């Protein structure tokens, strides 16, 4: 067993790395496990920039392909991210969201995160047949379309597209940047009561990858939801995509 301590003058304090060359556990996985433990324990905090693969391999006494494999393993788990011109950085812990009739903005704020919103679109549109059917709007009637990017800290987390009947509420771009959509609906007197929701997954399109700082084809979680008020009227239809490396849904299952 060899004990390798990072030496020199790294940008941040590095953890001690111990590899056992006689172990059946692959060296890349031993390195990945110890880096992951340092991230989970806060030794490598969000935003920390790792040394490049060559220097890290030299300091750890490992080959560059071994270090690259370990880093890619943590990138795939959503603990590290590669940024051109910056290097490899530790990212924020994954957002784990309970499935409730709440907005992402409010859930992030309640979890102590720093939600931020960039409004991409806020305009009336002629809805596609699926949207019109979900909202129960009259043929030919416009609906209000909202498209936003939700950030947690500096990291883009989701692209949110929502449709509202035109007469439900008047919302502004400034309000959407500072508040969650459901908060604004409740302020307008809408009593949200129930929703039908479907969760899925697919690869990111080129446009989504650009907005979310991901590669094309990266895994995304998808969510569609139709929310109803206490009178049974459909008041919102949403189609959202989330970075699978940064986000997960949590459910509580009860036996009947």
């Amino acid at each position: 067993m060899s004990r390798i301590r990072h030496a020199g003058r790294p940008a941040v304090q590095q953890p001690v790395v111990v590899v056992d060359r006689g172990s059946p556990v692959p060296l890349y996985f031993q390195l990945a496990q110890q880096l992951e433990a340092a991230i989970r324990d806060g030794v490598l905090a969000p935003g920390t920039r790792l040394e490049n693969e060559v220097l890290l391999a030299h300091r750890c006494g490992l080959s560059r392909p071994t270090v690259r494999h370990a880093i890619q393993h943590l990138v795939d788990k959503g603990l590290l991210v590669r940024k051109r011109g910056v290097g490899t950085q530790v990212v924020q812990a994954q957002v784990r969201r309970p499935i409730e009739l709440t907005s992402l903005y409010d859930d992030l704020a309640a979890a102590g995160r720093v939600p931020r919103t960039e409004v991409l679109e806020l305009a009336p549109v002629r809805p596609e047949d699926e949207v019109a059917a979900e909202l129960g709007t009259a043929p030919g009637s416009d609906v209000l379309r909202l498209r936003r990017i939700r950030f947690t800290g500096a990291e883009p987390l989701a692209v949110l597209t929502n449709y509202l009947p035109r007469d439900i509420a008047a919302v502004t771009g400034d309000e959407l940047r500072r508040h969650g959509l459901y908060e604004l609906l409740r302020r307008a007197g809408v009593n949200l009561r129930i929703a039908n929701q479907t969760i899925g997954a697919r690869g990111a399109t080129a446009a989504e990858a650009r907005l979310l700082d991901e590669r094309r084809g990266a895994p995304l979680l998808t969510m569609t939801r139709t929310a109803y008020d206490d009178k049974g009227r459909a008041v919102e239809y949403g189609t959202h995509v989330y970075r699978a490396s940064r986000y997960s849904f949590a459910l509580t299952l009860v036996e009947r």
Side-chain angles (χ1 to χ4, degrees), residues 207-226:
E208 290 166 343
R210 184 172 61 255
L211 293 173
L212 292 172
D213 195 21
E214 287 281 5
R215 69 183 187 282
R216 183 174 183 177
L220 299 179
L221 291 172
T222 66
M223 188 271 284
T224 60
R225 175 190 284 180
T226 305

Side-chain angles (χ1 to χ4, degrees), residues 4 6 12-19 27-45 48-53 56-57 60 62 66-75 77 79-80 88 90:
I4 303 100
H6 294 249
V12 296
Q13 182 179 0
Q14 299 290 330
V16 172
V17 176
V18 178
V19 294
L27 293 176
Y28 90 88
F29 194 66
Q30 293 185 46
L31 175 59
Q33 282 185 311
Q34 293 175 69
L35 290 176
E36 180 174 350
I39 293 170
R40 301 289 188 195
D41 294 341
V43 176
L44 293 174
T48 297
R49 180 172 57 84
L50 298 187
E51 296 170 306
N52 64 54
E53 293 175 359
L56 187 57
C60 293
L62 298 171
T66 296
V67 171
R68 183 184 302 119
H69 197 175
I71 289 176
Q72 187 59 50
H73 179 76
L74 297 180
V75 169
K77 292 189 72 171
L79 297 175
L80 297 176
T88 303
V90 178

Side-chain angles (χ1 to χ4, degrees), residues 20-27 30:
D20 184 355
R21 298 182 182 277
S23 170
V25 179
L27 293 176
Q30 293 185 46

Side-chain angles (χ1 to χ4, degrees), residues 76-104:
D76 293 340
K77 292 189 72 171
L79 297 175
L80 297 176
V81 64
R82 300 178 190 269
K83 293 185 177 181
R84 181 174 298 178
V86 176
T88 303
Q89 285 184 299
V90 178
V91 299
Q92 295 281 349
Q94 188 182 63
V95 174
R96 189 167 181 265
R97 181 186 181 188
I99 297 182
E100 299 174 349
L101 191 50
T102 56
S103 71
L104 177 57

